[in-house]
Amino acid sequence: MSLAVLASRAVFGLQARQVQVEVHVGSGLPAFSLVGLPGVGVRESRERVRSAILSCGFDFPAGRITANLAPADLPKDSGRFDLPIALGVLLASGQVADGQGGSPDVRHYVLAGELSLTGALVPADSALAIALAVAQDDPQAILVMAPPAAGIAALVPGLRVLAAGSLDEVVAHFAGHSPLPCAMPAPLQDEVDRAPCLGDVRGQALARRALEIAAAGGHSLLMSGPPGVGKSMLAQRLPGLLPPLTQREALEVAAVQGLVQPLRALPGTPPFRAPHHGASRSALVGGGAYPRPGEISLAHHGVLFLDELPEFERRALEALREPLETGQVTVARAAGSCHFPARFQLVAAMNPCPCGWLGHPRQVCRCPQERVARYRSQVSGPLLDRIDLHVALSVEGAWHKTPMGEPSAQIRPRVTAARARQLGRQGCLNAHLDAPALARHADLDVAGQALLARTVEAWGWSARATQRVLRVARTLADLQGESRVGVAALAQAIQFRPDAGPAS
Ligand SMILES: [Zn+2]
C-alpha cells in the first residue's frame, strides 16, 4: 500500500471537526511535504514524525512523502496530527501489517497526539471537546490518545477510548501483537480544592447575607468599601457555598478548561476565576486566531471575581453585558465564529474612591470630587444595572471583638435547599428567570405590591431594575421556604439595590 488514510480532529473553539489525514509514499527524490492549511504547529510535525519513526526502530521511507489534511479550508494548528501522520507513513510504506500480512483495519479509529522525538505520545489538548464530537458523529468510533487525556475522553458515555503511551504501542496494536488497553475514566477531583470557609470572616453581616442570597439564586454581586474590609475574602468563599457540580455541568466545565490546559481529573466543584484588572478584553471574554475561551468561559458554572472593578479596561467590562444576559459568548474570527458557554456568576468589588479611604472613620481621602466621579463612571450604568445585589461594606469595630461568622458548612444546606426549590418549580435559578416566568413565579401579596409601586415611583426604576429586585425577593422567599413572595422579602431585596447604598 502506498496510500494510508486515517482520521483525526481539528479543534476550533469547542467544535472538533473531522479531519482526514492522507499519507502517500511515492518514488522520487526524498521529500516530505505537508498540505491542507497546516499552521506552524502542524508544519513542525515533519521533524517530530521523522525523528519519532527512527527512534522507534522503523525506517523513514526514502521516497517522496505527501501528507494531506482534508478538508483544506479548515484551519489546523496543533501537534495532535503527529500520531496519524506517523502511523500513515508507516502504513503507506508497508511497515505495519496485521496478523495475516494484510493492511490493518483502521476504519472507525480516530487518532490524536503529539509525538516527542523519542516516539513518546504527549497528551492531546482539547481531549473532551474531541471525545464529545467523536461520540456524536460515529457511535462505533474508537479514540486513541495518550493518558491522562485519554482518561478525560473516556468520561464521555458510550465512547471507546484506548490509551497509548508511544508510537511503538500504537503500531503493536494495529499489527495485532499487543492490543492497547481501554482508558480508565478520569477520577472526580475530590474536595481538596474546596473553597475556604466563610467562618473565617468576622462581622460584615449584610455582606455575608448578600453572599448567601447570591449563592442561593445565582445572582451577581457588587461589594464596595475601603481596602481591608474583607471584600476579596468574602468573594473567595462563594464557591464553598455552592453545591458540587452535576456530572453534566462537570463535563461542560472540563470541555472548556481542557481547551487551555490538559486536565487530569473531572472538576467536582464550581470554578473560581479572579483575573487581574490588567486583563485584556480577549483574555476576559475569549479570542485569538484559533479562538480560546476567556475568563468568563473558564468560570462557566462557577464564579468570576473582578476585584478593583473600575480599574478594568472599560471595553472589557462592556463585553460582559451580553454574556451576563445570555450565558454564552460569541467570538467572531475571519475563519468563522464560535460560541463558548459563559454561565458564570459575577462577583465584583470596588473601592469607594481611587485612594480607597473615602468615608473611612480614621483615614483621610484626598481624592478630588471629579476624580471620584470619573473613577465610578468607569463602570457603566448598564453594567451596574445588570448586577442584582449591591452591598456597601464599612470598617467595623475592633477585629478581635467581632464575632466569628457562621461556617460555610452550615450555610450550604440552606443554599442547596433553596436551589432545589427553584429548579423544581421553574427549571432554572431565579437569576436566570425571564420576564414572563418571573411574573408567574414571583407574585407579590397585596402589601408587597403596594411597597413595590411606591418604591418604583420614588426611585424612578426601569422595568429591568424592578425585575432584578423581584428576582432577589424570590430567592429570599426560597431561602425561607415560602411559596409566595411576602412584603418582608421584598423589603430586604430593595436594600440591595444601588439606590440604597453608595455603590451607585
Ligand atoms: Zn480617596
Side-chain angles (χ1 to χ4, degrees), residues 138-173:
D138 178 8
Q140 288 175 280
I142 304 164
L143 186 58
V144 179
M145 269 187 185
I152 294 286
L155 291 165
V156 174
L159 180 66
R160 237 182 110 193
V161 183
L162 303 181
S166 67
L167 178 60
D168 258 344
E169 290 178 28
V170 177
V171 170
H173 173 83

mmCIF file of all heavy atoms in Angstrom, residues 138-173:
data_model
loop_
_atom_site.group_PDB
_atom_site.id
_atom_site.type_symbol
_atom_site.label_atom_id
_atom_site.label_comp_id
_atom_site.label_asym_id
_atom_site.label_seq_id
_atom_site.Cartn_x
_atom_site.Cartn_y
_atom_site.Cartn_z
ATOM 1 N N ASP A 138 -19.943 9.293 15.345
ATOM 2 C CA ASP A 138 -19.796 7.879 14.983
ATOM 3 C C ASP A 138 -19.862 7.009 16.239
ATOM 4 O O ASP A 138 -18.911 6.930 17.005
ATOM 5 C CB ASP A 138 -18.439 7.677 14.266
ATOM 6 C CG ASP A 138 -18.208 6.212 13.895
ATOM 7 O OD1 ASP A 138 -19.138 5.398 14.056
ATOM 8 O OD2 ASP A 138 -17.088 5.890 13.430
ATOM 9 N N PRO A 139 -20.996 6.321 16.429
ATOM 10 C CA PRO A 139 -21.149 5.511 17.652
ATOM 11 C C PRO A 139 -20.131 4.376 17.731
ATOM 12 O O PRO A 139 -19.875 3.849 18.810
ATOM 13 C CB PRO A 139 -22.570 4.949 17.549
ATOM 14 C CG PRO A 139 -23.215 5.597 16.375
ATOM 15 C CD PRO A 139 -22.170 6.273 15.551
ATOM 16 N N GLN A 140 -19.543 3.968 16.578
ATOM 17 C CA GLN A 140 -18.586 2.853 16.601
ATOM 18 C C GLN A 140 -17.147 3.339 16.730
ATOM 19 O O GLN A 140 -16.223 2.520 16.698
ATOM 20 C CB GLN A 140 -18.708 2.044 15.305
ATOM 21 C CG GLN A 140 -19.986 1.226 15.222
ATOM 22 C CD GLN A 140 -20.072 0.553 13.863
ATOM 23 O OE1 GLN A 140 -20.455 1.159 12.866
ATOM 24 N NE2 GLN A 140 -19.682 -0.706 13.808
ATOM 25 N N ALA A 141 -16.959 4.642 16.847
ATOM 26 C CA ALA A 141 -15.604 5.193 16.823
ATOM 27 C C ALA A 141 -14.763 4.705 17.997
ATOM 28 O O ALA A 141 -15.273 4.439 19.091
ATOM 29 C CB ALA A 141 -15.675 6.709 16.838
ATOM 30 N N ILE A 142 -13.474 4.560 17.737
ATOM 31 C CA ILE A 142 -12.506 4.213 18.781
ATOM 32 C C ILE A 142 -11.449 5.320 18.788
ATOM 33 O O ILE A 142 -10.799 5.570 17.773
ATOM 34 C CB ILE A 142 -11.821 2.857 18.498
ATOM 35 C CG1 ILE A 142 -12.887 1.769 18.325
ATOM 36 C CG2 ILE A 142 -10.853 2.497 19.612
ATOM 37 C CD1 ILE A 142 -12.350 0.514 17.662
ATOM 38 N N LEU A 143 -11.322 5.981 19.922
ATOM 39 C CA LEU A 143 -10.404 7.115 20.015
ATOM 40 C C LEU A 143 -9.087 6.645 20.639
ATOM 41 O O LEU A 143 -9.102 5.934 21.644
ATOM 42 C CB LEU A 143 -11.075 8.189 20.883
ATOM 43 C CG LEU A 143 -10.406 9.544 21.036
ATOM 44 C CD1 LEU A 143 -10.193 10.211 19.695
ATOM 45 C CD2 LEU A 143 -11.292 10.442 21.914
ATOM 46 N N VAL A 144 -7.974 7.019 20.035
ATOM 47 C CA VAL A 144 -6.661 6.660 20.589
ATOM 48 C C VAL A 144 -5.962 7.939 21.048
ATOM 49 O O VAL A 144 -5.788 8.871 20.266
ATOM 50 C CB VAL A 144 -5.789 5.921 19.547
ATOM 51 C CG1 VAL A 144 -4.425 5.575 20.143
ATOM 52 C CG2 VAL A 144 -6.488 4.663 19.063
ATOM 53 N N MET A 145 -5.593 7.977 22.318
ATOM 54 C CA MET A 145 -4.966 9.164 22.906
ATOM 55 C C MET A 145 -3.989 8.733 23.991
ATOM 56 O O MET A 145 -4.058 7.613 24.479
ATOM 57 C CB MET A 145 -6.025 10.023 23.596
ATOM 58 C CG MET A 145 -6.649 11.068 22.724
ATOM 59 S SD MET A 145 -7.693 12.097 23.736
ATOM 60 C CE MET A 145 -8.394 13.127 22.469
ATOM 61 N N ALA A 146 -3.127 9.679 24.398
ATOM 62 C CA ALA A 146 -2.207 9.386 25.500
ATOM 63 C C ALA A 146 -2.890 9.715 26.826
ATOM 64 O O ALA A 146 -3.668 10.660 26.902
ATOM 65 C CB ALA A 146 -0.949 10.229 25.345
ATOM 66 N N PRO A 147 -2.608 8.939 27.885
ATOM 67 C CA PRO A 147 -3.110 9.321 29.193
ATOM 68 C C PRO A 147 -2.348 10.548 29.688
ATOM 69 O O PRO A 147 -1.201 10.721 29.258
ATOM 70 C CB PRO A 147 -2.807 8.097 30.065
ATOM 71 C CG PRO A 147 -1.743 7.335 29.337
ATOM 72 C CD PRO A 147 -1.817 7.718 27.895
ATOM 73 N N PRO A 148 -2.894 11.427 30.549
ATOM 74 C CA PRO A 148 -4.215 11.311 31.165
ATOM 75 C C PRO A 148 -5.344 11.875 30.315
ATOM 76 O O PRO A 148 -6.499 11.769 30.697
ATOM 77 C CB PRO A 148 -4.053 12.145 32.433
ATOM 78 C CG PRO A 148 -3.045 13.187 32.077
ATOM 79 C CD PRO A 148 -2.114 12.551 31.101
ATOM 80 N N ALA A 149 -5.020 12.447 29.117
ATOM 81 C CA ALA A 149 -6.092 12.983 28.278
ATOM 82 C C ALA A 149 -7.090 11.882 27.916
ATOM 83 O O ALA A 149 -8.300 12.116 27.852
ATOM 84 C CB ALA A 149 -5.494 13.610 27.016
ATOM 85 N N ALA A 150 -6.564 10.657 27.711
ATOM 86 C CA ALA A 150 -7.441 9.544 27.341
ATOM 87 C C ALA A 150 -8.479 9.292 28.442
ATOM 88 O O ALA A 150 -9.632 8.957 28.158
ATOM 89 C CB ALA A 150 -6.606 8.288 27.109
ATOM 90 N N GLY A 151 -8.077 9.452 29.699
ATOM 91 C CA GLY A 151 -8.993 9.257 30.824
ATOM 92 C C GLY A 151 -10.101 10.293 30.835
ATOM 93 O O GLY A 151 -11.243 9.995 31.188
ATOM 94 N N ILE A 152 -9.761 11.513 30.458
ATOM 95 C CA ILE A 152 -10.766 12.581 30.376
ATOM 96 C C ILE A 152 -11.747 12.271 29.238
ATOM 97 O O ILE A 152 -12.963 12.375 29.398
ATOM 98 C CB ILE A 152 -10.073 13.950 30.137
ATOM 99 C CG1 ILE A 152 -9.227 14.352 31.354
ATOM 100 C CG2 ILE A 152 -11.073 15.025 29.790
ATOM 101 C CD1 ILE A 152 -10.010 14.809 32.555
ATOM 102 N N ALA A 153 -11.202 11.810 28.090
ATOM 103 C CA ALA A 153 -12.055 11.476 26.944
ATOM 104 C C ALA A 153 -12.984 10.311 27.285
ATOM 105 O O ALA A 153 -14.129 10.258 26.835
ATOM 106 C CB ALA A 153 -11.184 11.142 25.733
ATOM 107 N N ALA A 154 -12.474 9.377 28.122
ATOM 108 C CA ALA A 154 -13.254 8.190 28.461
ATOM 109 C C ALA A 154 -14.458 8.513 29.348
ATOM 110 O O ALA A 154 -15.293 7.643 29.597
ATOM 111 C CB ALA A 154 -12.348 7.170 29.160
ATOM 112 N N LEU A 155 -14.553 9.747 29.814
ATOM 113 C CA LEU A 155 -15.716 10.143 30.623
ATOM 114 C C LEU A 155 -16.971 10.285 29.773
ATOM 115 O O LEU A 155 -18.081 10.294 30.288
ATOM 116 C CB LEU A 155 -15.434 11.484 31.315
ATOM 117 C CG LEU A 155 -14.373 11.463 32.409
ATOM 118 C CD1 LEU A 155 -13.931 12.873 32.755
ATOM 119 C CD2 LEU A 155 -14.925 10.776 33.644
ATOM 120 N N VAL A 156 -16.792 10.407 28.458
ATOM 121 C CA VAL A 156 -17.958 10.569 27.578
ATOM 122 C C VAL A 156 -18.676 9.218 27.478
ATOM 123 O O VAL A 156 -18.064 8.222 27.082
ATOM 124 C CB VAL A 156 -17.513 11.050 26.178
ATOM 125 C CG1 VAL A 156 -18.684 11.092 25.219
ATOM 126 C CG2 VAL A 156 -16.863 12.414 26.294
ATOM 127 N N PRO A 157 -19.960 9.177 27.863
ATOM 128 C CA PRO A 157 -20.667 7.898 27.901
ATOM 129 C C PRO A 157 -20.708 7.225 26.526
ATOM 130 O O PRO A 157 -20.940 7.883 25.509
ATOM 131 C CB PRO A 157 -22.085 8.288 28.356
ATOM 132 C CG PRO A 157 -21.974 9.657 28.937
ATOM 133 C CD PRO A 157 -20.809 10.309 28.276
ATOM 134 N N GLY A 158 -20.449 5.926 26.517
ATOM 135 C CA GLY A 158 -20.582 5.139 25.290
ATOM 136 C C GLY A 158 -19.408 5.201 24.331
ATOM 137 O O GLY A 158 -19.416 4.521 23.309
ATOM 138 N N LEU A 159 -18.389 6.008 24.636
ATOM 139 C CA LEU A 159 -17.258 6.132 23.700
ATOM 140 C C LEU A 159 -16.130 5.191 24.110
ATOM 141 O O LEU A 159 -15.781 5.099 25.278
ATOM 142 C CB LEU A 159 -16.746 7.582 23.672
ATOM 143 C CG LEU A 159 -15.562 7.856 22.747
ATOM 144 C CD1 LEU A 159 -15.960 7.671 21.287
ATOM 145 C CD2 LEU A 159 -15.015 9.256 22.964
ATOM 146 N N ARG A 160 -15.572 4.456 23.103
ATOM 147 C CA ARG A 160 -14.429 3.575 23.387
ATOM 148 C C ARG A 160 -13.157 4.375 23.220
ATOM 149 O O ARG A 160 -12.902 4.939 22.165
ATOM 150 C CB ARG A 160 -14.436 2.394 22.417
ATOM 151 C CG ARG A 160 -14.466 1.051 23.136
ATOM 152 C CD ARG A 160 -14.411 -0.077 22.154
ATOM 153 N NE ARG A 160 -13.118 -0.741 22.249
ATOM 154 C CZ ARG A 160 -12.673 -1.592 21.354
ATOM 155 N NH1 ARG A 160 -13.374 -1.850 20.272
ATOM 156 N NH2 ARG A 160 -11.504 -2.171 21.521
ATOM 157 N N VAL A 161 -12.339 4.419 24.281
ATOM 158 C CA VAL A 161 -11.086 5.177 24.224
ATOM 159 C C VAL A 161 -9.938 4.246 24.594
ATOM 160 O O VAL A 161 -9.992 3.558 25.612
ATOM 161 C CB VAL A 161 -11.109 6.377 25.192
ATOM 162 C CG1 VAL A 161 -9.827 7.196 25.052
ATOM 163 C CG2 VAL A 161 -12.320 7.262 24.942
ATOM 164 N N LEU A 162 -8.915 4.197 23.757
ATOM 165 C CA LEU A 162 -7.730 3.384 24.045
ATOM 166 C C LEU A 162 -6.588 4.304 24.455
ATOM 167 O O LEU A 162 -6.408 5.376 23.878
ATOM 168 C CB LEU A 162 -7.331 2.567 22.813
ATOM 169 C CG LEU A 162 -8.409 1.638 22.236
ATOM 170 C CD1 LEU A 162 -7.866 0.865 21.041
ATOM 171 C CD2 LEU A 162 -8.926 0.668 23.304
ATOM 172 N N ALA A 163 -5.850 3.869 25.472
ATOM 173 C CA ALA A 163 -4.739 4.688 25.976
ATOM 174 C C ALA A 163 -3.435 4.175 25.385
ATOM 175 O O ALA A 163 -3.131 2.981 25.456
ATOM 176 C CB ALA A 163 -4.694 4.608 27.492
ATOM 177 N N ALA A 164 -2.652 5.082 24.784
ATOM 178 C CA ALA A 164 -1.377 4.702 24.186
ATOM 179 C C ALA A 164 -0.297 5.636 24.688
ATOM 180 O O ALA A 164 -0.507 6.843 24.771
ATOM 181 C CB ALA A 164 -1.474 4.778 22.668
ATOM 182 N N GLY A 165 0.873 5.072 25.029
ATOM 183 C CA GLY A 165 1.958 5.896 25.564
ATOM 184 C C GLY A 165 2.988 6.282 24.519
ATOM 185 O O GLY A 165 3.760 7.206 24.718
ATOM 186 N N SER A 166 3.019 5.534 23.382
ATOM 187 C CA SER A 166 4.058 5.817 22.393
ATOM 188 C C SER A 166 3.637 5.328 21.012
ATOM 189 O O SER A 166 2.670 4.562 20.872
ATOM 190 C CB SER A 166 5.355 5.111 22.797
ATOM 191 O OG SER A 166 5.158 3.712 22.703
ATOM 192 N N LEU A 167 4.375 5.756 20.011
ATOM 193 C CA LEU A 167 4.120 5.312 18.631
ATOM 194 C C LEU A 167 4.283 3.794 18.535
ATOM 195 O O LEU A 167 3.486 3.113 17.885
ATOM 196 C CB LEU A 167 5.093 6.028 17.684
ATOM 197 C CG LEU A 167 5.002 5.654 16.195
ATOM 198 C CD1 LEU A 167 3.626 5.966 15.639
ATOM 199 C CD2 LEU A 167 6.081 6.388 15.391
ATOM 200 N N ASP A 168 5.297 3.263 19.211
ATOM 201 C CA ASP A 168 5.532 1.816 19.278
ATOM 202 C C ASP A 168 4.285 1.050 19.677
ATOM 203 O O ASP A 168 3.920 0.051 19.052
ATOM 204 C CB ASP A 168 6.564 1.545 20.396
ATOM 205 C CG ASP A 168 7.943 1.297 19.808
ATOM 206 O OD1 ASP A 168 7.997 1.052 18.598
ATOM 207 O OD2 ASP A 168 8.924 1.351 20.583
ATOM 208 N N GLU A 169 3.666 1.509 20.777
ATOM 209 C CA GLU A 169 2.481 0.812 21.296
ATOM 210 C C GLU A 169 1.330 0.852 20.295
ATOM 211 O O GLU A 169 0.574 -0.108 20.158
ATOM 212 C CB GLU A 169 2.030 1.460 22.617
ATOM 213 C CG GLU A 169 2.980 1.216 23.774
ATOM 214 C CD GLU A 169 2.512 1.917 25.058
ATOM 215 O OE1 GLU A 169 1.300 2.131 25.232
ATOM 216 O OE2 GLU A 169 3.397 2.262 25.861
ATOM 217 N N VAL A 170 1.178 1.975 19.609
ATOM 218 C CA VAL A 170 0.098 2.094 18.622
ATOM 219 C C VAL A 170 0.348 1.129 17.466
ATOM 220 O O VAL A 170 -0.569 0.438 17.002
ATOM 221 C CB VAL A 170 -0.013 3.556 18.116
ATOM 222 C CG1 VAL A 170 -1.076 3.681 17.037
ATOM 223 C CG2 VAL A 170 -0.325 4.500 19.269
ATOM 224 N N VAL A 171 1.608 1.041 17.015
ATOM 225 C CA VAL A 171 1.949 0.127 15.929
ATOM 226 C C VAL A 171 1.705 -1.322 16.354
ATOM 227 O O VAL A 171 1.106 -2.109 15.618
ATOM 228 C CB VAL A 171 3.427 0.333 15.494
ATOM 229 C CG1 VAL A 171 3.858 -0.776 14.529
ATOM 230 C CG2 VAL A 171 3.603 1.700 14.847
ATOM 231 N N ALA A 172 2.098 -1.676 17.582
ATOM 232 C CA ALA A 172 1.907 -3.037 18.088
ATOM 233 C C ALA A 172 0.422 -3.384 18.128
ATOM 234 O O ALA A 172 0.023 -4.528 17.878
ATOM 235 C CB ALA A 172 2.525 -3.174 19.474
ATOM 236 N N HIS A 173 -0.416 -2.405 18.422
ATOM 237 C CA HIS A 173 -1.856 -2.626 18.463
ATOM 238 C C HIS A 173 -2.373 -2.970 17.066
ATOM 239 O O HIS A 173 -3.088 -3.956 16.882
ATOM 240 C CB HIS A 173 -2.564 -1.367 19.003
ATOM 241 C CG HIS A 173 -4.052 -1.426 18.922
ATOM 242 N ND1 HIS A 173 -4.828 -2.060 19.869
ATOM 243 C CD2 HIS A 173 -4.925 -0.942 17.999
ATOM 244 C CE1 HIS A 173 -6.102 -1.958 19.532
ATOM 245 N NE2 HIS A 173 -6.198 -1.281 18.408
#
